[in-house]
């Protein structure tokens, strides 16, 4: 059973996998991010010699392990040492490089297992599961391959290791190097070791080139590069969608039922993700993601958006509980799908339009926004005007209550504000005036009902008195200037009520599942952004350094953090958290031209 989120992520835009410190593949969904987890021991208990749903490498008499990424890549290296001084190196990656004039991103994982010194004795255990851990995959095999059969996918392992030793899981001495290539049910008509070495060289070269083109801050370069690569790994190349996380049902805190499936694309994330990609100069990824968002926005029936969509843009994500997986550390339930797709969240109109606004103003993009796209976005703006003062589930997707959330209303204002700016850019004076009038009207109403005079703060809902961390974004989205006393006093109120030590909670009042126990990591990043806007740079830098220290051993972040122990919880690796890291580093870093 997994005891922590000390995991590494590998992938290539078509497939992703999580690997623990021992070199075990503990999570991998096939044939895409939201598919059946054929390797699922992250959520399924097993020991070394029973169970299924995992891919392990056991070094006999192992005493130590080290793990790191090759610099500026998504290639993960795990070193295992035994009691006799022998060492084994396991290199894991998913091929990604340009070939034949296009990007080569097969549904494939490559494992190279190499003897470094001594006489290591290892055992291979490859036991994929099907139907969310319900049963072990039936096996067929040939002279150099094993086929693992599931109803929706046939996983083929091609290897130059002994098939007998692999199938019978017998220990054997590793002479020099063996290779395991997991992929589609297709023959590999070349030497396995040679192919793996070439794929690794090409993949390393790709990542080095990709990183070389990034715009990064002067400080915290390694941290930002790792976050940027991780954001890229959470991107589906085929559709442009960026998922919230690779996993489902990692609980937000121990022994709660706050377990959700995050292998989908949330519109609430879009504004922050696009901004981060823009600041990094990752224009190709940004353009693909904007294409995904534009297709969803333009196709929204009646101008109505839902909070979350599948990787392919599908709308229905029916949620169910599976009883075949016990959950992270046995803390179920395990959910597949997410019923949030049925929720009413009015902030999505602002999030979508704020993100798509880049299409009209960023001259680096190949396809710029035009009047046709603008008029399609106007239907979303009309919906924002209709719903800005109506109850919704809010940014935090409350399942049992509905209120008029101030942040949702602010995002509806942002939708109208940006439509006015786009109209001006396109020379549509009448539409500019129309949307500016709506933005001003919504702005006035938010001030009237969202401001609490007694607290001297904007509050979470109209005519309410509680706070939530989304109010830290009032400056970010342009609703308040940094020198506005209302923004300063709102930040002060959040410090008083939501800050616990070095972390900011999204809210502290009880919700459908009780009071939140852990801090939502991105909220502390938002607080850091607010401090930077207020000129409190020393405080912001100290909090940022603390969050960096809470990353796992490979520099990755989950969704939540225990403010007492610093342990990470929630789905992993969390796009929101990595985007927060990128944005904070860029805001706080010394400028390149002032660094020397």
């Amino acid at each position: 059973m997994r005891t922590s989120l000390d995991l590494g992520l590998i992938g290539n835009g078509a497939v992703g996998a999580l690997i623990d410190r021992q070199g075990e593949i503990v999570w991998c969904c096939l044939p895409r991010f939201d598919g059946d987890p054929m390797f699922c021991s992250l959520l399924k208990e097993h020991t070394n010699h029973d169970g299924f749903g995992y891919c392990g490498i056991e070094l006999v008499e192992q005493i130590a392990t080290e793990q790191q990424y090759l610099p500026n890549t998504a290639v993960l290296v795990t070193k295992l040492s035994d009691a006799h001084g022998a060492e084994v190196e396991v290199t894991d990656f998913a091929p990604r490089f340009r070939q034949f004039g296009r990007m080569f991103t097969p549904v494939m994982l490559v494992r190279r297992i190499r003897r470094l010194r001594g006489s290591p004795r290892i055992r291979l255990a490859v036991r994929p599961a099907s139907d969310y851990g319900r049963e072990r995959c039936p096996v067929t095999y040939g002279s150099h391959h094993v086929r693992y059969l599931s109803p929706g996918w046939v996983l083929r392992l091609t290897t130059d290791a002994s098939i007998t030793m692999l199938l019978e899981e017998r220990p054997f001495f590793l002479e020099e190097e063996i290779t395991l290539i997991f992929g589609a049910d297709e023959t590999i008509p070349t030497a396995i070791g040679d192919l793996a070495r070439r794929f690794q060289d090409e993949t390393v070269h790709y990542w080095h080139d990709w990183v070389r083109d990034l715009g990064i801050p002067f400080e915290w370069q390694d941290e930002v590069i790792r976050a940027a690569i991780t954001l890229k790994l959470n991107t589906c190349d085929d559709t442009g969608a960026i998922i919230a996380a690779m996993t489902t049902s990692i609980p937000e805190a121990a022994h709660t039922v706050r377990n959700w499936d995050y292998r989908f694309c949330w519109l609430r994330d879009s504004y922050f993700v696009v901004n981060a990609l823009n600041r990094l100069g990752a224009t190709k990824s940004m353009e693909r993601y904007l294409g995904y968002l534009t297709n969803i926005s333009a196709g929204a029936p009646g101008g109505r958006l839902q909070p979350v969509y599948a990787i392919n843009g599908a709308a229905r994500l029916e949620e169910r509980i599976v009883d075949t997986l016990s959950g992270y550390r046995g803390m179920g339930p395990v959910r597949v799908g997410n019923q949030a797709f049925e929720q009413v969240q009015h902030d999505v109109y602002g999030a979508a339009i704020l993100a798509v606004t880049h299409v009209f103003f960023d001259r680096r993009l190949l396809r710029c926004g035009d009047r046709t796209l603008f008029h399609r976005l106007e239907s979303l703006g009309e919906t924002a005007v209709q719903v800005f003062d109506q109850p919704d589930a809010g940014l935090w997707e409350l399942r049992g209550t509905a209120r008029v959330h101030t942040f949702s209303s602010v995002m509806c204002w942002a939708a109208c504000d940006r439509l006015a700016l786009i109209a001006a850019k396109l020379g549509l004076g009448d539409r500019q005036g129309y949307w500016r009038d709506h933005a001003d009207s919504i702005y006035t109403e938010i001030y009237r009902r969202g401001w609490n005079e007694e607290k001297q703060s904007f509050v979470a809902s109209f005519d309410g008195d509680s706070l939530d961390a989304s109010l830290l974004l009032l400056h970010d989205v342009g609703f308040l200037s940094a020198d506005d006393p209302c923004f300063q006093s709102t930040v002060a109120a959040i410090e008083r009520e939501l800050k616990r030590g070095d972390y900011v909670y999204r809210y502290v009042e009880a919700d459908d599942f009780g009071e939140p126990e852990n801090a939502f990591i991105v909220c502390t990043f938002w607080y850091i952004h607010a401090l930077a806007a207020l000129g409190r740079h020393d405080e912001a830098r100290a909090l940022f350094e603390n969050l960096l220290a809470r990353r796992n051993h490979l520099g990755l972040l989950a969704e939540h953090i225990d403010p007492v122990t610093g342990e990470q919880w929630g789905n992993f690796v969390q796009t929101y958290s990595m985007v927060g890291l990128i944005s904070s580093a860029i805001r706080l870093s010394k400028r390149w031209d002032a660094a020397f």
Side-chain angles (χ1 to χ4, degrees):
M1 181 69 67
R2 298 304 101 203
T3 57
S4 76
L5 293 177
D6 283 339
L7 308 171
L9 172 64
I10 63 169
N12 63 1
V15 64
L18 294 173
I19 299 170
D20 74 4
R21 284 180 179 266
Q22 307 302 319
E24 180 182 325
I25 302 176
V26 301
W27 187 258
C28 181
C29 298
L30 295 169
R32 66 182 194 186
F33 302 152
D34 58 353
D36 189 9
M38 299 188 78
F39 298 127
C40 53
S41 58
L42 183 64
L43 303 182
K44 182 181 177 70
E45 187 172 7
H46 79 83
T47 64
N48 286 341
H49 301 290
D50 64 18
F52 51 89
Y54 65 96
C55 177
I57 298 173
E58 178 187 347
L59 175 61
V60 177
E61 296 187 74
Q62 178 185 321
I63 60 170
T65 179
E66 297 177 18
Q67 194 173 56
Q68 62 184 359
Y69 285 107
L70 294 183
N72 294 358
T73 77
V75 179
L76 185 64
V77 178
T78 307
K79 290 183 180 180
L80 308 175
S81 304
D82 71 14
H84 306 288
E87 285 187 352
V88 171
E89 179 183 80
V90 182
T91 302
D92 288 294
F93 67 97
R96 181 181 176 90
F97 51 88
R98 185 162 291 279
Q99 180 174 260
F100 307 128
R102 58 186 182 270
M103 193 60 65
F104 178 62
T105 57
V107 179
M108 178 183 290
L109 302 177
V110 178
R111 312 204 81 179
R112 299 180 61 201
I113 307 169
R114 185 164 66 96
R115 181 183 67 85
L116 294 182
R117 65 178 182 177
S119 300
R121 194 162 174 251
I122 67 171
R123 186 177 69 90
L124 304 178
V126 182
R127 301 182 181 182
S130 67
D131 192 16
Y132 285 86
R134 185 172 301 279
E135 60 185 7
R136 185 171 177 176
C137 290
V139 169
T140 66
Y141 61 91
S143 58
H144 289 95
H145 75 268
V146 182
R147 298 169 71 243
Y148 302 94
L149 313 177
S150 72
W153 178 258
V154 175
L155 178 65
R156 187 184 185 105
L157 166 58
T158 305
T159 182
D160 50 13
S162 164
I163 295 296
T164 298
M165 294 301 186
L166 189 151
L167 291 175
E168 297 182 5
E169 299 181 7
R170 294 181 180 276
F172 61 93
F173 285 102
L174 179 64
E175 298 297 335
E176 291 298 332
E177 179 177 330
I178 59 174
T179 300
L180 311 178
I181 298 180
F182 298 91
D185 191 18
E186 300 171 350
T187 300
I188 296 179
T190 188
I192 305 304
D194 292 345
L195 183 73
R197 283 186 286 274
R198 180 173 74 82
F199 277 11
Q200 180 177 331
D201 289 344
E202 295 277 9
T203 299
V204 167
H205 180 71
Y206 163 81
W207 285 113
H208 285 172
D209 274 356
W210 189 80
V211 167
R212 194 177 294 119
D213 288 338
L214 292 177
I216 60 173
F218 176 77
E219 297 179 272
W220 306 296
Q221 293 183 34
D222 290 337
E223 294 85 348
V224 170
I225 288 170
R226 181 53 50 201
I229 290 173
T230 305
L231 183 56
K232 183 69 171 174
L233 295 182
N234 278 1
T235 302
C236 175
D237 259 23
D238 185 51
T239 66
I242 299 179
I243 58 174
M246 281 284 169
T247 58
T248 178
S249 303
I250 308 296
E252 296 177 7
H255 303 291
T256 70
V257 294
R258 299 176 188 269
N259 301 7
W260 315 111
D261 192 346
Y262 272 20
R263 298 171 298 164
F264 309 115
C265 185
W266 267 261
L267 294 190
R268 71 179 181 206
D269 302 355
S270 57
Y271 164 67
F272 307 100
V273 171
V274 168
N275 274 355
L277 291 172
N278 194 328
R279 290 172 183 233
L280 288 169
T283 51
K284 290 182 180 178
S285 297
M286 182 176 75
E287 195 162 28
R288 291 287 293 150
Y289 186 44
L290 286 170
Y292 173 85
L293 295 174
T294 300
N295 286 330
I296 285 177
S297 301
R304 296 276 173 167
L305 290 172
Q306 61 189 51
V308 57
Y309 292 84
I311 290 171
N312 61 359
R316 300 199 65 81
L317 305 172
E318 297 290 350
E319 184 177 303
R320 61 188 174 91
I321 292 176
V322 298
D323 59 7
T324 51
L325 295 173
S326 57
Y328 179 71
R329 299 191 194 173
M331 300 176 190
V334 172
R335 291 185 169 95
V336 176
N338 199 306
Q339 218 61 33
F341 84 90
E342 290 187 328
Q343 287 188 342
V344 175
Q345 290 178 232
H346 297 151
D347 61 292
V348 296
Y349 302 101
I353 291 176
L354 260 65
V356 177
T357 295
H358 287 263
V359 175
F360 294 89
F361 289 92
D362 195 328
R363 301 302 298 173
R364 295 170 297 175
L365 304 183
L366 294 178
R367 180 175 295 177
C368 296
D370 55 17
R371 294 189 178 191
T372 298
L373 177 58
F374 169 71
H375 291 312
R376 288 178 176 171
L377 293 177
E378 283 192 295
S379 66
L380 302 184
E382 295 291 356
T383 303
V385 171
Q386 295 168 17
V387 304
F388 85 93
D389 59 353
Q390 300 301 304
D392 73 344
L395 176 71
W396 308 119
E397 298 179 352
L398 301 178
R399 292 199 170 198
T401 57
R403 296 181 291 184
V404 182
H405 288 89
T406 301
F407 181 74
S408 294
S409 300
V410 168
M411 293 299 276
C412 288
W413 165 83
C416 298
D417 176 76
R418 298 322 192 263
L419 285 172
L421 294 176
I422 295 170
K425 172 74 172 177
L426 296 175
L428 302 173
D430 57 333
R431 302 312 295 165
Q432 177 188 359
Y434 176 83
W435 289 113
R436 181 55 57 203
D437 288 345
H438 276 306
D440 291 345
S441 177
I442 294 173
Y443 190 90
T444 300
E445 187 68 2
I446 292 172
Y447 254 100
R448 186 176 76 84
R449 298 186 61 192
W451 174 261
N452 184 298
E453 189 66 26
E454 181 178 348
K455 284 185 177 286
Q456 285 294 293
S457 173
F458 282 95
V459 286
S461 60
F462 278 14
D463 307 317
D465 61 2
S466 61
L467 300 176
D468 82 68
S470 66
L471 301 169
L472 292 166
L473 297 169
L474 295 180
H475 168 63
D476 253 31
V477 301
F479 186 81
L480 296 177
S481 63
D483 59 2
D484 190 319
C486 291
F487 178 63
Q488 297 171 15
S489 59
T490 296
V491 174
I494 288 173
E495 288 172 329
R496 290 192 303 270
E497 298 192 20
L498 301 186
K499 190 166 179 281
R500 301 288 187 270
D502 291 328
Y503 307 100
V504 173
Y505 279 62
R506 52 186 174 183
Y507 50 82
V508 294
E509 61 183 338
D511 59 18
D512 314 326
F513 304 98
E515 294 183 5
E517 297 180 30
N518 289 333
F520 200 78
I521 290 175
V522 77
C523 295
T524 303
F525 282 123
W526 293 347
Y527 177 55
I528 290 168
H529 301 170
L531 292 179
L534 293 173
R536 296 163 58 182
H537 293 285
D538 289 344
E539 295 173 72
R541 289 174 68 93
L543 288 173
F544 182 59
E545 291 284 2
N546 176 69
L547 276 179
L548 290 182
R550 298 304 186 186
R551 299 171 303 149
N552 76 4
H553 66 295
L554 293 169
L556 307 181
L557 287 168
E559 180 186 42
H560 281 73
I561 193 165
D562 185 320
V564 177
T565 66
E567 183 178 7
Q568 295 194 55
W569 291 86
N571 282 305
F572 184 87
V573 177
Q574 180 74 11
T575 290
Y576 235 179
S577 299
M578 304 310 287
V579 164
L581 187 159
I582 293 167
S583 297
S584 293
I586 291 173
R587 291 166 196 252
L588 297 175
S589 173
K590 299 174 184 176
R591 289 171 40 181
W592 280 89
D593 57 1
F596 302 102

